[in-house]
Amino acid sequence: MDLCPRISFVPSEGVKTALANLGRTEDVQFSPDDRRLAIAGFNNNKILLLDIEVKTAKDKILIKCDDWLEITSPGFDCPHGLFWIDSSTLIIANRGADASIIKVPSGKPESRTVEIMPIETIRRGRDLLRSPGSVSVSKIGQDLYDAVICNNYAHNVSRHLLDARDNFSSKGSCRLLAKGLDVPDGISHSHSGEWLAVSNHHKNAVFMYRNDNSLDE
C-alpha cells in the first residue's frame, strides 16, 4: 500500500521560464497562508515569487502555479536566505551585504518584474552582521519580532529585535550563538518559538537550542 500520495507540479510556461532564468538558488520559503513560494536567486540578485494553488483528489495532490513575480532591489547582494515576517513582508539575508526587509506589492506589472527599495536594513558592522546567510523570524509580542541570522563566515548567530510599528526597524542586536559553530548556514524557529535549529555546515550536524533566557554564546 502506497501511503505517500502522488504530488504533481503543473507550472505555466511563464513560470517555467522564470524558474529556468533564476539560476543558483539557496533558500525557499512558503508565505504564512501557503499561497506563495519565495525563492532566493543567489547569483542573479533577485527573489522569485510563485503563486501556488494546491488541489487534492483521492490519492493525488496537484500543485498549480500559473503566475509569478520577479523582485529586484538595490539592497540585494547574493541573497542567500529569506523568511516571511508576515504575509506581505520578506526579510532577505544577503551574503554579500546586509539583511534587507521589503514589502511585497499586492499587484503585478505586465512584465512580472519589479524593483523594490527596502523599507528597513539590518546592516553589517553596526548591527553585528557579517556575511549573513540565513534568517528566521518569530513573533514575540503584538508588534515585536525576534529575528535570528546566521553569519556564515563569522561562525555565529546574531539576534535582532524588530518593531513592526517602525517599519520593522532593529531596536537592538546581540551575538547569540557561537560556540562550536563552523559556517552555520541554516536556521529555523520551532512553531512555538521555544526551540532554535541551526544547520552547522562543516560539522555535518544540526544543533538544537532551547530558546529561553539561558541561551548565550
Side-chain angles (χ1 to χ4, degrees):
M1 181 179 178
D2 187 1
L3 298 179
C4 182
R6 297 185 177 217
I7 301 175
S8 298
F9 177 56
V10 184
S12 67
E13 290 303 315
V15 169
K16 289 180 182 179
T17 300
L19 285 168
N21 292 336
L22 187 59
R24 173 182 168 182
T25 60
E26 287 289 348
D27 199 6
V28 293
Q29 290 285 339
F30 282 101
S31 61
D33 59 9
D34 292 328
R35 298 180 64 182
R36 286 184 292 187
L37 181 68
I39 310 175
F42 184 78
N43 287 331
N44 291 328
N45 291 324
K46 61 186 177 182
I47 304 299
L48 179 63
L49 299 185
L50 302 182
D51 289 352
I52 299 293
E53 183 182 5
V54 180
K55 295 184 176 182
T56 58
K58 295 183 178 179
D59 60 343
K60 295 182 180 180
I61 297 176
L62 177 66
I63 301 176
K64 293 189 65 179
C65 185
D66 293 329
D67 211 351
W68 75 101
L69 180 66
E70 290 183 352
I71 297 176
T72 61
S73 174
F76 294 171
D77 189 350
C78 298
H80 187 276
L82 45 76
F83 197 88
W84 294 88
I85 300 176
D86 59 32
S87 59
S88 63
T89 311
L90 275 169
I91 181 170
I92 297 96
N94 295 280
R95 187 175 267 178
D98 310 306
S100 304
I101 299 175
I102 63 170
K103 280 289 185 183
V104 176
S106 56
K108 301 183 183 73
E110 186 175 348
S111 66
R112 295 301 188 267
T113 300
V114 63
E115 182 176 89
I116 298 176
M117 293 296 296
I119 61 170
E120 188 58 54
T121 301
I122 304 173
R123 300 194 179 278
R124 284 190 299 182
R126 187 190 73 184
D127 293 312
L128 302 179
L129 290 192
R130 183 181 167 195
S131 63
S134 301
V135 56
S136 181
V137 181
S138 180
K139 192 172 185 178
I140 57 174
Q142 184 174 358
D143 295 297
L144 296 176
Y145 293 81
D146 174 39
V148 286
I149 299 177
C150 288
N151 296 288
N152 294 161
Y153 301 127
H155 312 295
N156 67 62
V157 172
S158 55
R159 164 167 276 163
H160 311 269
L161 179 65
L162 307 182
D163 189 348
R165 296 163 297 187
D166 189 21
N167 280 341
F168 297 97
S169 63
S170 177
K171 299 303 182 182
S173 301
C174 69
R175 202 165 85 147
L176 181 66
L177 303 170
K179 183 179 180 181
L181 294 181
D182 192 355
V183 188
D185 63 358
I187 192 164
S188 182
H189 289 87
S190 64
H191 289 299
S192 66
E194 295 178 0
W195 293 87
L196 285 173
V198 179
S199 173
N200 203 7
H201 189 88
H202 285 161
K203 295 290 181 70
N204 293 315
V206 175
F207 285 10
M208 300 289 297
Y209 303 89
R210 189 179 293 279
N211 190 19
D212 58 20
N213 292 333
S214 68
L215 201 57
D216 59 24
E217 293 186 39

